[in-house]
């Protein structure tokens, strides 16, 4: 168990590691056993009292999946646990979340109302997505479940622990047999799982490696299921449940992104695959690629040699990300490309976008061509595709390289497809001649979300002089604001240095000077998630970028104010002392790599105020009490001795200052408190303070898997989470909420005495009506990764819920 020392390390000698390996592993297993068994979770759709607001899009989207019966019914997911379903072709989306995230979708080709989502569980809806039930695994097979780690990942422990390898991976590649709605197939890591009775009973069989895709049809494959892995085809016989295997040619091994289908009005089947001549460095980065296809059920494969798709003019193969064909119109196939080098005017440039073939891969043509520059993130030397009818992203990011991610095609009509990228989802209905935004729509000179909001928000901020002016601090897309009460939005980053513009963590409107706003910016997003600080470079001036900006026109334009702070100061929090002189405001800023800065002249000059802070100066959040007391939350980070990666880590901490930041005193919350996260102070009684805290995380969450496994065996860091309360200004604390919860922040409702809120990474937000004695979940909100609850200053009966991946939920909280 970790103690609350100034420096906490996991550095263990290699001799000790060898001796402790068995103990550590046993301890880890025991930790997983602590939670009681959980019954099968249910899912409900977003209720009418909640609306998702924002500009729409803003983050990466994946696996666009069309229904068989209606091209307007489509599922899309984001990379931060949100799943979005549309019934009108993308004009509007409903969010449909499941416990443990979703990694795959499937529509039943035999029943238009039956839909599947796969993640930790296989979830089925028989009424078009209104209600859901779990088909796999059964509650009787589960010993315990828990959330764990820096991202509160959902883990299931089976009663039969010999099945760990089956229960760990998420469910992918769900396929319902077109001849029998009760025959369901899916992949779970290397396991092929199937049920022939509608999910009542399941059988699983492991193949050689992770399964990429599953395909069957009602004609040539009426008795067979083809299972695509990177090295070979595995064939499942539906009649006798036997398996056979067909290795791919060595020249296309390993392959990925398989797609298959029948030619229109034909029973002829085509398989497609992508092969990289070099290993993929990571999911988003692919290198020189080839497209292979087979017209004889995988007996032979051909390397597509069209000069366009091979880039023979330049002589360097393109880099392909994903491939998809229409299942019953398979001559129509699309591929997403993220690097297509070319020489123009004696200069090497990089294009990216999407290609399409209408003749089964014999010839290809661009249907989305963008780039023409260096291909570097954030560099304004590119052009967006000319055939995109886009909303706000093209205006804001169209001059940069934009990573394309995924593609999905309607099963019966190859003219209908969706391509996704870092910020948006775009749809074509004419075979790629034109692409239209389905994440957002143009509303005059502003933009409105379709409900497909997929980015991280930190706060909702209110202009004291204009109730219709609302601002949001965002990851990846910076500062957005609305002048019509949140109906439509605009990005506003003019004047913010390009190296900072990724994330606006917080901002403060001056309560007495109209139009004056201060904002905290960082070129690095997702603080305080541990993944951001594993590389020692993050803290150095060549890696850390950010600072404070001020606006005098309500956020329309900005200017940096960093004298004494520097522009290598990723700022995550700023507070204003409302009692300070109007023209010489006292401001405090938390800078994640340096500590706390103070300004007494409205931000013109800053001075470091770290007296009393220990070695860890990763200041995350500042809070100011009505009596002038300051509270500071420090986040845990790797220590990086000698500026090198290593197993040593610095604990998070909470500090208090009673003299305007001149001296800080560390508060003892609990002997094992490691990851404090958010502070709230009672405006009527500044001695009452609440703290939100993160629960257990793995050593690898902070230092990375390689270092953690080599040193501590990736031992779990046990730390109490939940919500803590002090009634004496931080001298003593007591827990008032479940210590296993990953609570991001806690909020006091000043309009309802005794009412508190907290938002968690455990798929729930909660409220208390008795100052924390009892808590109830907020109905209909079910997003996995929650941030803050913000009271709506224009309607105190409503709140905003900020999230890590689903923008903002707005509505009236009703408690379960």
């Amino acid at each position: 168990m970790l103690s609350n020392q100034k420096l906490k390390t996991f550095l263990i000698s290699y001799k000790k590691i060898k001796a402790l390996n068995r103990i550590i592993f046993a301890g880890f297993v025991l930790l997983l056993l602590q939670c009681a068994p959980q019954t099968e979770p249910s899912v409900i759709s977003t209720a009418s009292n909640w609306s998702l607001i924002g500009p729409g899009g803003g983050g990466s989207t994946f696996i666009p999946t069309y229904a068989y019966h209606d091209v307007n019914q489509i599922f899309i997911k984001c990379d931060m646990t949100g799943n979005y379903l549309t019934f009108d072709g993308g004009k509007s989306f409903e969010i449909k979340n499941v416990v443990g995230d979703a990694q795959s979708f499937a529509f039943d080709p035999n029943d238009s109302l039956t839909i599947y989502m796969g993640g930790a569980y296989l979830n089925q809806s028989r009424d078009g997505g209104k209600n859901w039930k779990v088909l796999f695994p059964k509650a009787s097979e589960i010993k315990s479940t828990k959330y764990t780690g820096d991202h509160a990942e959902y883990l299931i422990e089976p009663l039969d622990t010999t099945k760990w390898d089956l229960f760990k991976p998420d469910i992918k590649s769900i396929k319902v047999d077109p001849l029998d709605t009760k025959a369901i197939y899916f992949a779970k890591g290397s396991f092929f799982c199937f049920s022939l009775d509608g999910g009542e009973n399941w059988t699983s069989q492991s193949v050689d490696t992770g399964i990429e895709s599953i395909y069957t049809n009602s004609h040539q494959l009426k008795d067979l299921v083809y299972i695509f892995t990177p090295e070979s085809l595995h064939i499942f016989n539906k009649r006798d449940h036997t398996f056979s295997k067909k290795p791919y040619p060595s020249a296309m091994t390993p392959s990925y992104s398989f797609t298959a289908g029948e030619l229109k009005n034909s029973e002829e089947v085509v398989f497609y695959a992508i092969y990289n001549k070099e290993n993929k460095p990571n999911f988003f980065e692919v290198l020189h690629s080839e497209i292979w296809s087979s017209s004889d059920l995988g007996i032979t494969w051909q390397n597509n040699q069209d000069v366009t798709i091979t880039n023979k003019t330049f002589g360097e193969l393109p880099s392909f990300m994903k491939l998809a064909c229409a299942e019953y119109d398979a001559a129509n196939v699309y591929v997403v490309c993220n690097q297509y080098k070319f020489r123009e005017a004696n200069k090497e440039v990089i294009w990216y976008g999407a290609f399409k073939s209408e003749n089964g891969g014999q010839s290809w043509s661009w249907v989305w061509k963008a780039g023409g520059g260096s291909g570097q993130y954030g560099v304004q030397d590119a052009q967006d595709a000319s055939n995109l009818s886009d909303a706000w992203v093209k205006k804001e990011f169209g001059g940069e390289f934009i990573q394309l991610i995924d593609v999905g095609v309607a099963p019966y009509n190859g003219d209908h497809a969706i391509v996704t990228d870092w910020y948006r989802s775009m749809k074509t209905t004419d075979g790629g001649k034109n692409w239209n935004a389905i994440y957002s729509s143009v509303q005059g000179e502003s933009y409105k979300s379709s409900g497909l909001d997929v980015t991280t928000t930190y706060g909702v901020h209110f202009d004291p002089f204009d109730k219709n002016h609302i601002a949001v601090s965002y990851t990846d897309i910076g500062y957005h604001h609305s002048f019509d009460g949140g109906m439509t939005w605009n990005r506003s980053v003019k004047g913010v240095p390009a190296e900072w513009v990724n994330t606006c963590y917080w901002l403060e409107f001056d309560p007495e000077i109209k139009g004056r706003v201060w904002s905290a910016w960082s070129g690095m997003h997702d603080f305080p998630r541990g993944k951001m600080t594993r590389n020692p470079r993050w803290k150095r001036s060549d890696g850390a970028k950010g600072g404070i900006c001020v606006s005098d026109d309500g956020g329309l334009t900005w200017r940096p104010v960093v004298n004494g702070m520097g522009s290598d100061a990723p700022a995550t929090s700023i507070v204003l002392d409302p009692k300070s002189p109007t023209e010489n405001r006292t401001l405090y800023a938390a800078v994640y790599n340096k500590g706390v800065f103070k300004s007494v002249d409205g931000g013109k000059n800053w001075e470091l105020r770290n007296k009393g802070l220990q070695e860890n100066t990763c200041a995350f959040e500042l809070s100011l009490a009505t009596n002038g007391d300051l509270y500071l939350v420090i986040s845990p980070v790797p220590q990086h001795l000698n500026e090198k990666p290593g197993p040593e880590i610095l604990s998070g901490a909470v500090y208090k200052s009673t003299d305007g930041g001149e001296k800080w005193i560390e508060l003892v919350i609990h002997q094992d408190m490691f990851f404090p996260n958010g502070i709230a102070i009672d405006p009527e009684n500044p001695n009452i303070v609440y703290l939100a805290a993160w629960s257990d995380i793995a050593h690898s969450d902070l230092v990375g898997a390689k270092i953690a496994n080599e040193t501590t065996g990736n031992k779990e860091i046990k730390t109490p989470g939940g919500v803590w309360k002090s009634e004496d200004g931080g001298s003593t604390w007591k827990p008032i909420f479940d210590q296993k919860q990953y609570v991001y922040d806690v909020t006091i409702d000043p309009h309802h005495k005794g009412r508190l809120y907290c938002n968690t990474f455990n798929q729930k937000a909660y409220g208390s009506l008795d100052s924390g004695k009892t808590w109830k979940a907020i109905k209909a909100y079910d997003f996995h990764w929650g941030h803050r609850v913000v009271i709506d200053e224009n309607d105190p009966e409503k709140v905003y819920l900020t999230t890590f991946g689903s923008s903002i939920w707005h509505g009236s909280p009703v408690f379960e």
Side-chain angles (χ1 to χ4, degrees):
M1 194 71 74
L2 296 173
S3 62
N4 192 28
Q5 303 170 38
K6 304 299 184 288
L7 170 65
K8 296 181 179 179
T9 75
F10 279 83
L11 184 59
I12 300 175
S13 70
Y14 290 101
K15 290 182 179 179
K16 288 183 179 179
I17 292 166
K18 291 179 179 178
L20 289 174
N21 271 344
R22 291 185 178 180
I23 298 173
I24 292 169
F25 177 76
F28 177 71
V29 173
L30 286 173
L31 292 173
L32 292 174
L33 300 181
Q34 289 178 351
C35 293
Q38 178 174 306
T39 58
E40 296 167 352
S42 61
V43 182
I44 58 174
S45 62
T46 306
S48 58
N49 62 311
W50 291 107
S51 58
L52 270 65
I53 65 172
S60 301
T61 43
F62 300 80
I63 51 176
T65 305
Y66 283 82
Y68 288 92
H69 299 84
D70 184 356
V71 293
N72 292 313
Q73 189 175 349
I74 309 160
F75 240 131
I76 298 177
K77 78 176 292 307
C78 77
D79 59 346
M80 293 179 285
T81 76
N83 313 298
Y84 303 83
L85 178 61
T86 179
F87 294 93
D88 55 17
K91 294 177 183 177
S92 63
F93 284 85
E94 300 175 11
I95 193 164
K96 305 287 185 182
N97 288 336
V98 292
V99 173
D101 197 7
Q103 297 295 330
S104 55
F105 308 117
F107 293 91
D108 191 329
N110 312 290
D111 181 355
S112 62
L113 294 177
T114 300
I115 313 172
Y116 296 86
M117 276 196 283
Y121 298 92
L122 178 66
N123 304 275
Q124 182 197 59
S125 172
R126 300 296 300 272
D127 56 10
K130 295 176 184 177
N131 298 284
W132 298 80
K133 70 175 183 178
V134 169
L135 295 186
F136 179 92
K138 302 296 184 184
S140 58
E141 296 180 273
I142 299 172
K143 183 170 187 176
S144 66
T145 63
K146 70 174 294 186
Y147 293 94
T148 185
D150 190 46
H151 282 70
E153 296 178 15
Y154 187 79
L155 296 182
I156 298 174
E157 186 199 3
L159 278 169
D160 182 354
T161 55
T162 63
K163 293 185 177 181
W164 270 113
D165 289 343
L166 174 60
F167 276 66
K168 282 180 181 177
D170 284 328
I171 291 170
K172 297 182 179 180
S173 193
I174 307 165
K175 186 71 176 175
V176 181
D177 199 303
L179 289 173
D180 182 2
T181 194
K182 290 187 175 182
I184 309 163
Y185 317 104
F186 65 79
K188 214 170 189 294
S190 65
F191 285 89
F192 172 73
C193 303
F194 64 95
S195 172
L196 303 178
D197 55 11
E200 291 298 319
N201 296 281
W202 293 90
T203 303
S204 60
Q205 172 68 44
S206 180
V207 297
D208 56 357
T209 186
I211 297 170
E212 293 272 339
S213 184
I214 293 171
Y215 175 71
T216 186
N217 63 40
S218 58
H219 299 116
Q220 288 196 56
L221 303 187
K222 64 181 180 180
D223 294 325
L224 303 172
V225 179
Y226 272 54
I227 304 161
F228 297 87
T229 74
E231 288 79 22
S232 57
L233 276 172
H234 294 258
I235 303 166
F236 171 71
N237 189 302
K238 300 176 188 178
R239 293 180 179 274
D240 59 15
H241 299 178
T242 58
F243 289 82
S244 57
K245 181 178 177 179
K246 290 182 183 178
Y248 307 134
S250 59
M252 62 168 285
T253 304
S255 293
Y256 69 101
S257 189
F258 297 88
T259 186
E262 295 178 313
L263 299 181
K264 195 170 187 177
N265 301 319
S266 168
E267 296 182 8
E268 183 179 346
V269 176
V270 183
F271 296 160
Y272 301 94
I274 297 176
Y275 163 67
N276 275 113
K277 294 183 75 68
E278 301 175 48
N279 291 332
K280 293 172 61 177
N282 55 58
F283 177 80
F284 282 105
E285 187 177 354
V286 292
L287 301 174
H288 308 126
S289 313
E290 298 172 344
I291 296 176
W292 288 68
S293 59
S294 173
S295 298
D296 55 10
L297 300 180
I299 296 173
T300 61
W301 291 82
Q302 295 77 42
N303 184 351
N304 290 196
Q305 289 296 312
D306 175 66
V307 294
T308 300
I309 206 69
T310 60
N311 196 17
K312 284 186 177 178
T313 303
F314 183 77
E316 183 172 327
L317 288 169
S319 294
F320 300 125
M321 188 76 179
K322 282 295 181 73
L323 183 70
C325 73
E327 189 174 344
Y328 295 97
D329 189 11
N332 285 284
V333 57
Y334 298 77
V335 65
V336 166
C337 174
N338 278 313
Q339 188 180 94
Y340 192 94
K341 290 185 179 180
F342 213 74
R343 185 165 296 279
E344 297 178 356
N346 295 319
K347 182 177 71 172
E348 184 179 295
V349 298
I350 293 176
W351 296 95
Y352 63 92
F355 293 94
K356 183 190 179 189
S357 174
E358 297 179 350
N359 53 17
Q362 296 178 44
S363 61
W364 296 80
S365 59
W366 286 98
V367 291
W368 174 322
K369 187 177 183 182
S374 62
Q376 298 298 308
Y377 169 70
V379 178
Q380 294 279 340
D381 63 356
Q383 62 188 45
D384 213 345
S386 60
N387 59 339
L388 307 187
S389 296
D390 196 10
W392 64 271
V393 168
K394 187 167 188 173
K395 173 186 173 184
E396 299 295 334
F397 297 106
E400 304 176 7
F401 169 77
I402 301 175
Q403 174 94 45
L404 272 69
I405 295 173
D406 214 337
V407 57
V409 188
Y412 286 99
N413 190 336
D415 285 341
H416 287 249
I418 290 173
V419 166
T420 70
D421 64 24
W422 272 339
Y423 306 106
R424 57 197 169 180
S425 296
M426 304 291 291
K427 187 181 77 166
T428 182
T429 58
D430 57 12
K433 295 181 180 67
N434 299 282
W435 298 86
N436 298 292
I438 58 172
Y439 67 96
S440 179
S441 61
V442 180
Q443 305 287 316
E445 296 183 358
S446 300
Y447 305 92
K448 183 178 182 179
S449 172
S450 64
L452 190 60
D453 286 278
V454 294
T455 194
T456 296
T457 49
Y458 295 96
V460 182
H461 315 273
F462 306 91
D463 188 334
F465 296 91
D466 181 358
K467 69 176 185 179
N468 289 317
H469 185 207
I470 304 170
V472 177
S473 37
Y474 273 106
T475 272
D476 291 336
I477 59 176
Y479 170 95
H480 276 68
H481 57 179
S482 170
F483 288 92
D484 54 17
M487 296 295 294
T488 63
W489 298 83
N490 286 92
R491 185 172 183 254
S492 189
V493 298
K494 186 177 181 181
V496 180
E499 297 86 0
W500 304 4
V501 80
N502 180 275
T503 299
C504 180
Y505 277 100
W506 200 252
L507 59 102
E508 290 282 348
F509 281 91
D510 193 298
E512 297 179 25
I513 302 176
K514 185 176 182 179
R516 184 165 294 174
V517 196
W518 287 269
S519 50
W521 295 83
S522 169
M524 294 184 72
H525 63 190
D526 292 359
F527 293 138
R529 305 277 68 76
K531 64 182 181 180
M532 305 310 300
T533 54
R534 292 172 189 165
N535 188 327
R537 183 175 176 268
W538 84 268
K539 198 172 184 178
R540 302 197 304 257
S541 60
D542 64 335
K545 302 294 180 184
I548 301 297
C549 284
V550 66
S551 173
D552 291 312
D553 55 15
L556 295 174
T557 61
W558 301 91
R559 66 181 186 277
V561 283
V562 291
N563 188 40
M565 177 187 295
S567 60
D568 58 341
T572 55
S573 179
I574 185 167
V575 295
L576 177 153
D577 184 350
K579 298 177 182 178
S580 59
T582 303
E583 289 300 328
N584 287 292
R585 288 298 195 192
T586 296
L587 301 164
Y588 302 91
V591 175
Y592 207 71
N593 63 336
K594 295 183 178 183
V596 179
F597 286 84
K598 181 178 181 179
S599 173
V600 293
D601 57 9
K604 298 181 184 71
N605 298 281
W606 297 88
E607 292 185 356
L608 194 63
R609 290 289 187 268
N610 280 359
K611 185 176 180 181
L613 301 187
Q614 302 301 320
E615 183 177 354
N616 187 357
T617 56
C618 288
F620 179 62
E621 183 181 294
L622 284 161
S623 301
L624 179 65
T626 53
N627 66 352
D629 289 350
L630 276 168
Y631 290 85
L632 169 66
V633 172
I634 297 278
S635 301
V637 290
Q639 188 178 8
H640 294 317
L641 292 173
N642 301 316
E643 295 194 359
K644 294 181 179 180
E648 304 87 359
I649 51 179
L650 297 170
S651 172
V654 179
Y655 291 89
K656 179 180 179 180
S657 174
T658 58
D659 55 8
E662 296 302 312
K663 183 176 64 176
W664 295 94
I665 298 173
E666 185 173 1
L667 304 180
V668 178
I669 314 299
H670 181 277
Q671 64 175 357
D672 300 312
M673 178 61 66
F674 181 76
F675 205 147
N677 211 72
I679 289 275
I681 309 162
D682 193 315
E684 296 183 359
N685 183 353
N687 284 319
I688 297 178
V689 186
Y690 298 92
L691 170 71
W694 220 245
S695 189
D696 309 337
I697 64 173
H699 189 202
S700 59
D701 288 327
L702 287 167
V703 302
K706 184 175 185 296
I707 291 173
N709 289 330
E710 290 176 351
T711 55
T712 66
N714 197 23
K715 185 175 181 179
E716 193 169 37
I717 303 169
K718 298 291 293 177
T719 176
V723 178
W724 296 70
K725 182 178 182 179
S726 173
E727 297 180 299
D728 53 14
S731 296
T732 60
W733 296 81
K734 62 180 180 180
I736 60 170
F737 186 68
D738 183 1
Q739 295 179 52
K740 288 295 181 183
Q741 293 266 7
Y742 294 78
V743 181
Y744 188 90
D745 211 348
V746 58
T747 301
I748 299 170
D749 187 339
H751 306 287
H752 300 86
K753 190 172 180 63
R755 183 177 293 187
L756 304 174
Y757 295 99
C758 70
N759 207 351
T760 80
F761 261 44
N762 299 56
Q763 204 156 0
K764 293 286 185 181
Y766 295 85
S768 172
L769 305 181
D770 52 14
S771 300
K773 293 184 179 68
T774 60
W775 295 82
K776 292 184 178 180
I778 297 176
K779 284 185 178 180
Y781 169 79
D782 65 350
F783 192 73
H784 194 153
W785 292 339
H787 268 178
R788 293 183 169 99
V789 179
V790 179
I791 309 302
D792 186 343
E793 293 187 7
N794 297 317
D795 185 350
E797 299 305 315
K798 293 183 177 181
V799 298
Y800 295 89
L801 305 176
T802 69
T803 68
F804 190 85
S806 187
S807 192
I808 307 158
W809 296 49
H810 184 226
S812 302
V814 178
F815 302 111
E816 292 181 356

